[in-house]
């Protein structure tokens, strides 16, 4: 197995760590946190860990603290297909392939769940052939890229020639603020 193209996509809005911390500090969620939870968030958002900014699928940081499950679902539905499609187009362009050249599409995510799966949204947006194998790999956590790539490798050893492997996360659709440290 070898890569013929690599594509990435991030949300348009980018916020500094300080902006994220200030929005959190002003929120009612922060006031409800116990001291260990506050200390952890302070270390993550104010510490020197090499992260300067965050691309978030939010028009305003205050939206990120709306953590109702229906709001999070809508955020994922709005952004995951768009980000995955954009990354896919970038990878296909780099590989010199057209969407019609694909035999299979694999998408991994753990920040949301769509039914029908995310592959159906991306496949439609890309204009994939109806006979393309589409597999949604959900709930595998932060290491989901590894089983995704292993599945792609297995397909490529079979009769599939071009497999598109996508990992998409919408972090702002999986945000919860509570006292679990």
């Amino acid at each position: 197995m070898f890569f013929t193209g690599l594509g990435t996509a991030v949300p348009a809005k980018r916020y500094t760590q300080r902006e994220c911390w200030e929005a959190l500090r002003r929120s009612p969620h922060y006031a409800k946190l116990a001291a260990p939870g506050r200390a952890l968030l302070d270390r993550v958002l104010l510490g020197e860990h090499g992260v300067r900014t965050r691309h978030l699928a939010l028009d305003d940081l205050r939206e990120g603290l709306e953590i109702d499950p229906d709001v999070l679902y809508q955020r994922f539905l709005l952004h995951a297909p768009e980000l995955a499609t954009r990354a896919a187009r970038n990878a296909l362009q780099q590989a010199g392939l057209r969407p019609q050249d694909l035999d299979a599409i694999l998408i991994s995510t753990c920040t949301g769940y769509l039914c029908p799966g995310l592959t159906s949204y991306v496949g439609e947006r890309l204009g994939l052939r109806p006979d393309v194998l589409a597999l949604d790999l959900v709930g595998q956590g932060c290491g989901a890229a590894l089983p995704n790539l292993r599945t792609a490798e297995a397909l490529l050893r079979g009769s599939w020639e071009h497999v598109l492997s996508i990992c998409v996360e919408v972090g702002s659709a999986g945000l919860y603020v509570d006292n679990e440290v």
Side-chain angles (χ1 to χ4, degrees):
M1 176 174 91
F2 61 92
F3 295 93
T4 57
L6 179 67
T8 62
V10 296
K13 293 283 190 158
R14 185 174 70 179
Y15 302 95
T16 67
Q17 291 283 83
R18 167 91 35 204
E19 288 172 316
C20 294
W21 181 81
E22 288 171 359
L24 176 63
R25 182 97 165 119
R26 288 189 301 267
S27 80
H29 299 291
Y30 191 84
K32 295 176 186 175
L33 289 174
R38 287 184 196 166
L40 176 62
L41 287 169
D42 291 351
R43 275 194 314 271
V44 167
L45 294 172
L46 297 176
E48 284 297 320
H49 308 291
V51 177
R52 303 273 184 257
T53 60
R54 295 174 182 272
H55 286 269
L56 298 171
L58 304 168
D59 290 326
D60 184 296
L61 277 173
R62 290 174 292 200
E63 293 174 16
L65 297 165
E66 296 174 30
I67 57 176
D68 175 81
D70 291 334
V71 171
L72 297 176
Y73 169 79
Q74 288 300 319
R75 194 172 294 147
F76 186 79
L77 176 62
L78 178 64
H79 296 284
E82 186 268 329
L83 289 169
T85 302
R86 211 166 8 114
R89 285 188 176 129
N90 292 337
L92 289 169
Q93 181 180 16
Q94 190 179 83
L97 295 172
R98 300 168 302 134
Q100 298 76 19
D101 297 329
L102 294 175
D103 302 306
I105 180 173
L106 311 172
I107 300 182
S108 297
T109 188
C110 69
T111 53
Y113 176 77
L114 299 178
C115 187
L118 190 49
T119 55
S120 65
Y121 289 84
V122 175
E124 184 176 330
R125 289 172 182 217
L126 291 174
L128 299 183
R129 300 186 326 261
D131 65 335
V132 165
L133 175 67
L135 297 173
D136 290 271
L137 308 172
V138 298
Q140 296 178 330
C142 295
L146 296 176
N148 184 307
L149 291 173
R150 294 302 298 257
T151 304
E153 179 183 42
L155 292 173
L156 291 167
R157 288 181 190 211
S159 60
W160 289 269
E161 185 177 349
H162 297 292
V163 177
L164 179 63
S165 174
I166 301 171
C167 295
V168 61
E169 301 299 349
V170 181
S172 51
L175 178 66
Y176 294 93
V177 180
D178 61 26
N179 280 307
E180 295 294 320
V181 179

